[in-house]
């Protein structure tokens, strides 16, 4: 594992963070990110079968307006046009996810070549345009057959995931230099099996904790498989939405609330990932919910702790918490990770913790804007884990308006992105080894339980015609990339 000496020239070049003319290190990846179910469409083509998100979105009442990913933004058929857009922006890297049910429809057995062909063509087109591909194996679309067999709460799913990783690595390993195992497993475990606002929509805290362990195990097993099958030069990462948890006040009670959310939101992943096992306080907080001794089998922690090359951070907003209070605020966007309302908590062992808005300056998701949380996260991760980092998601939804000339002017998104890129520069200047930034998202897309009602793209999509129109934020980002930093 490489760690970077903060005195290198790259860091010195970035040391003017916050000042005009902020420059990022040479080789810094200027990216954008998407995910298969959110953009591909072609849900029943070329052998693809339903994932948990197909089932969930087709269940009345689960997704706003009854929206589904059946067509999404039709990227499956329009990927060449989309790669041209990326090239026009000057992106140097593109982070996308592979659809498990497109590659291995039932989650078992051989790969479907037509599914792999799509990704081969996508990757080849990216490479032809000088854009470095970053493939995420799992961005939430578990084959429905595996959910029917028990889903992430059962151990077998972790082994199935490693087998699928092998199929992907054999097909694409010669041309994808950077792989990520999981995207935001916190959401898969705790929104999918705890609060139920995400697929598969189950609401059992014990299942949520079991899912977390099996996602960790699946990650570790997949790292082992990828190391065996990929060229030695390939790099392996995982992307977590680590919560930047701040206590509302400095009281012992609020600090205790923050500790509990940090345990089940963050250290449940980073503890075993970095060889420390599950934290004792997490095990104590959740002892009445799940039998960890039965769940963790001999050898699991060694698998999960296999070394990785890079750690991805997905950051949108900080998480402000307190102990229960009489004046508790009702809108608590962080309660469900900002992904919808549920009577069931996604925080096993910390159900009574109260969430607060960091400030009133919010995006269309209701998520407060506070870029200091991004620099603080990166600096903390550098200090605590000491490996290269990437911001694998960051961006904002706004209610974009198409002007009379067909253009979309989105200065609020530009402001959000500017603040957060400056925060990345601040972290680099403070010594964090941050290798890239992947803006969420390239295109407007299916925003999970919110359907198409929330737009995160820097490229607008007219869902009726599938016409793509770069917003002013896209032109701004292209200029940032051209200059290699903020002006
Ligand atoms: O759209 C999602 C993405 O799939 C995962 N991270 C957060 C984004 C915005 O909610």
């Amino acid at each position: 594992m490489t760690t970077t000496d903060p005195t290198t020239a790259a860091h010195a070049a970035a040391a003017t963070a916050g000042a005009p003319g902020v420059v990022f290190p040479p080789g810094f990846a200027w990216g954008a990110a998407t995910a298969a179910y959110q953009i591909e469409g072609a849900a029943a083509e070329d052998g693809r079968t339903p994932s948990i998100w197909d089932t969930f979105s087709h269940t009345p009442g689960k997704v706003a307006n009854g929206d589904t990913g059946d067509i999404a933004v039709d990227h499956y058929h329009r990927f060449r046009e989309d790669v041209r857009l990326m090239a026009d922006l000057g992106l140097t890297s593109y982070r996308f996810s592979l659809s498990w049910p497109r590659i291995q429809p039932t989650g078992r057995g051989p790969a479907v070549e037509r599914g792999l062909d799509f990704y081969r063509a996508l990757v080849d087109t990216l490479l032809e345009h000088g854009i470095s591909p970053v493939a995420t194996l799992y961005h939430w679309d578990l084959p429905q057959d595996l959910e029917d067999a028990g889903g992430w709460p059962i151990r077998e799913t972790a082994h199935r995931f490693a087998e699928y990783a092998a199929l992907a690595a054999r097909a694409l390993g010669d041309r994808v230099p950077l792989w990520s195992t999981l995207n935001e497993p916190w959401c898969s475990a705790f929104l999918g099996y705890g609060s139920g606002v995400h697929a598969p929509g189950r609401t059992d805290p014990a299942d949520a904790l079991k899912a977390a362990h099996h996602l960790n195990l699946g990650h570790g097993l997949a790292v082992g498989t990828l190391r065996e099958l990929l060229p030695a030069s390939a790099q392996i990462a995982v992307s977590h939405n680590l919560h930047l948890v701040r206590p509302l006040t400095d009281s012992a009670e609020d600090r205790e609330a923050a500790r509990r959310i940090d345990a089940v939101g963050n250290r449940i992943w980073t503890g075993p990932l970095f060889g420390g096992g599950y934290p004792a306080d997490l095990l104590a907080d959740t002892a009445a919910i799940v039998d960890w001794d039965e769940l963790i089998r001999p050898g699991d922690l060694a698998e999960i702790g296999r070394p990785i090359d890079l750690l991805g951070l997905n950051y949108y907003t900080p998480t402000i918490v307190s102990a229960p209070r009489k004046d508790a605020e009702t809108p608590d966007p962080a309660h469900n990770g900002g992904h919808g309302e549920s009577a069931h908590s996604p925080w096993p062992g910390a159900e009574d913790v109260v969430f607060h808005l960091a400030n009133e300056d919010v995006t269309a998701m209701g998520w407060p804007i506070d870029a200091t949380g991004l620099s603080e996260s990166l600096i903390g991760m550098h200090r605590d884990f000491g490996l290269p980092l990437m911001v694998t998601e960051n961006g904002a939804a706004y209610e974009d308006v198409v002007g009379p000339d067909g253009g979309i002017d989105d200065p609020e998104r530009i402001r959000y992105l500017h603040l957060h890129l400056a925060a990345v520069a601040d972290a680099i200047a403070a010594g964090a080894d941050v290798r890239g930034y992947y803006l969420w998202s390239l295109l407007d897309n299916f925003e999970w339980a919110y359907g198409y009602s929330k737009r995160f793209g820097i490229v607008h999509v007219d869902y009726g015609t599938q016409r793509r129109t770069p917003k002013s934020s896209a032109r701004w980002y292209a200029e940032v990339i051209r200059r290699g930093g903020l002006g």
Side-chain angles (χ1 to χ4, degrees), residues 38 139-140 183-184 314 316 339 365 367 393 440 447-448 456:
Q38 295 183 272
H139 197 128
W140 308 353
N183 183 72
E184 301 183 3
N314 295 359
Y316 292 87
H339 282 275
M365 297 296 283
W367 298 347
E393 283 185 28
W440 186 271
E447 176 53 24
W448 308 112
F456 274 90

Side-chain angles (χ1 to χ4, degrees), residues 49-253:
T49 55
S51 72
I52 53 175
W53 268 98
D54 295 85
T55 308
F56 190 77
S57 65
H58 280 269
T59 306
K62 297 296 187 190
V63 173
N65 308 311
D67 291 340
T68 74
D70 288 1
I71 298 171
V73 298
D74 198 29
H75 175 73
Y76 191 72
H77 299 115
R78 295 167 193 265
F79 72 91
R80 288 197 170 79
E81 175 189 350
D82 293 338
V83 174
R84 274 198 303 276
L85 273 169
M86 296 178 212
D88 289 347
L89 293 177
L91 295 190
T92 63
S93 187
Y94 172 56
R95 174 176 177 258
F96 59 98
S97 79
L98 306 175
S99 162
W100 188 347
R102 199 180 286 296
I103 291 178
Q104 192 191 35
T106 62
R108 291 187 173 80
V112 169
E113 285 305 315
R114 282 169 301 168
L116 287 172
D117 284 345
F118 166 68
Y119 294 111
R120 288 187 184 106
L122 170 64
V123 168
D124 289 348
T125 310
L126 288 165
L127 293 171
E128 278 157 28
H129 285 82
I131 300 169
S132 186
V134 179
T136 297
L137 287 167
Y138 187 72
H139 197 128
W140 308 353
D141 44 1
L142 185 70
Q144 182 62 43
D145 279 17
L146 292 185
E147 171 58 20
D148 295 344
W152 285 109
I154 69 160
R155 195 176 171 83
E156 172 67 7
T157 305
H159 291 281
R160 300 272 59 79
F161 180 63
E163 185 183 290
Y164 152 66
L167 300 178
R170 282 197 193 98
L172 300 165
D174 60 340
R175 56 197 102 177
V176 174
L178 174 54
W179 292 72
S180 177
T181 55
L182 305 173
N183 183 72
E184 301 183 3
W186 181 85
C187 296
S188 301
F190 296 107
L191 302 180
Y193 295 92
S195 66
V197 299
H198 277 191
R202 285 159 64 180
T203 54
D204 180 329
D207 280 344
L209 291 167
K210 289 179 193 170
H213 178 58
H214 296 137
L215 282 153
N216 273 332
L217 181 60
H219 157 83
L221 293 168
V223 172
T225 304
L226 294 175
R227 288 269 184 244
E228 245 172 60
L229 297 175
L230 294 177
S233 58
Q235 293 197 300
I236 303 176
V238 59
S239 287
H240 282 287
N241 54 327
L242 296 179
H243 301 76
L244 193 273
V245 188
R246 291 176 175 150
L248 183 66
T249 73
D250 201 34
S251 72
E253 295 77 14

